[in-house]
Amino acid sequence: MDGIIIFADNKVFDRDSFENQLFDKLRYESSLSILPVCSIECLEETIKTVSTFKALILDWNFDRDEYGDDLGGAELSARTPELFLENIELYSLIYVYSQNDIGEEIKQRLGIRFPNKIKFRTKNTDNISSDVESIRKDIKSFEDNNKHMEIPFVWSQAINRSVQKIFS
């Protein structure tokens, strides 16, 4: 199993955080490359640029504390990727992690939009090993059940290499 996982969470580099522990465990225990992304804006650009990836691990609450100084210290509520998910076309597995409950209406709507491809999980440091194993199994199962996607993935990678070669 090879490929890329996009890991989008504003706390991915915060030592001792659940997000960093999950990121590190995935990095060390899989043959997949893990691409960290720290904001929804960066995620949107990354999705446009990276043509194929195996899974998207996505935080539900992106802090906006980086804007606090510009707003005189005012705190803004967390931004969710709901609008992003409603408007993006993805053909990969999606794991949405949250510390808080995500409403059933949102889960149902996104479940319809991404049938059998989106999973909602609660952030819990006690479950990191089982989460990593589950993600690995899900990716393997997704690959096995979508053999028709092997050729488009190979084509996409060949096109990317060719573009790099042409412009270099």
Side-chain angles (χ1 to χ4, degrees), residues 39 41 63-74 76 79:
S39 71
E41 294 80 15
D63 293 338
R64 294 191 193 199
D65 60 358
E66 67 268 16
Y67 302 112
D69 292 339
D70 295 339
L71 299 172
L76 296 174
R79 180 174 175 206

Side-chain angles (χ1 to χ4, degrees), residues 1-132:
M1 183 168 46
D2 61 346
I4 294 175
I5 292 177
I6 297 176
F7 194 112
D9 195 302
N10 57 294
K11 295 180 182 174
V12 68
F13 295 119
D14 292 353
R15 285 277 162 228
D16 300 323
S17 68
F18 165 84
E19 298 82 358
N20 184 262
Q21 291 174 33
L22 179 60
F23 173 76
D24 282 344
K25 197 153 188 72
L26 276 166
R27 239 175 7 137
Y28 295 121
E29 293 185 11
S30 74
S31 60
L32 298 163
S33 298
I34 316 298
L35 180 62
V37 176
C38 296
S39 71
I40 293 176
E41 294 80 15
C42 240
L43 174 62
E44 291 169 350
E45 291 303 314
T46 301
I47 298 291
K48 288 179 195 174
T49 306
V50 177
S51 60
T52 59
F53 49 93
K54 299 290 181 173
L56 169 62
I57 297 174
L58 182 60
D59 183 23
W60 188 251
N61 296 301
F62 282 81
D63 293 338
R64 294 191 193 199
D65 60 358
E66 67 268 16
Y67 302 112
D69 292 339
D70 295 339
L71 299 172
E75 289 187 29
L76 296 174
S77 61
R79 180 174 175 206
T80 70
E82 183 177 359
L83 187 60
F84 165 77
L85 289 171
E86 288 176 353
N87 293 306
I88 195 75
E89 298 298 327
L90 292 177
Y91 192 82
S92 78
L93 294 173
I94 303 167
Y95 296 88
V96 178
Y97 277 88
S98 181
Q99 288 176 321
N100 306 317
D101 186 41
I102 300 171
E104 286 304 314
E105 179 186 330
I106 294 170
K107 287 181 179 180
Q108 288 176 355
R109 194 171 56 250
L110 293 175
I112 291 168
R113 178 130 172 71
F114 302 104
N116 302 316
K117 291 185 272 188
I118 190 164
K119 298 177 187 274
F120 297 92
R121 303 242 169 105
T122 302
K123 293 181 180 182
N124 183 345
T125 55
D126 296 337
N127 295 337
I128 291 176
S129 291
S130 62
D131 281 354
V132 168

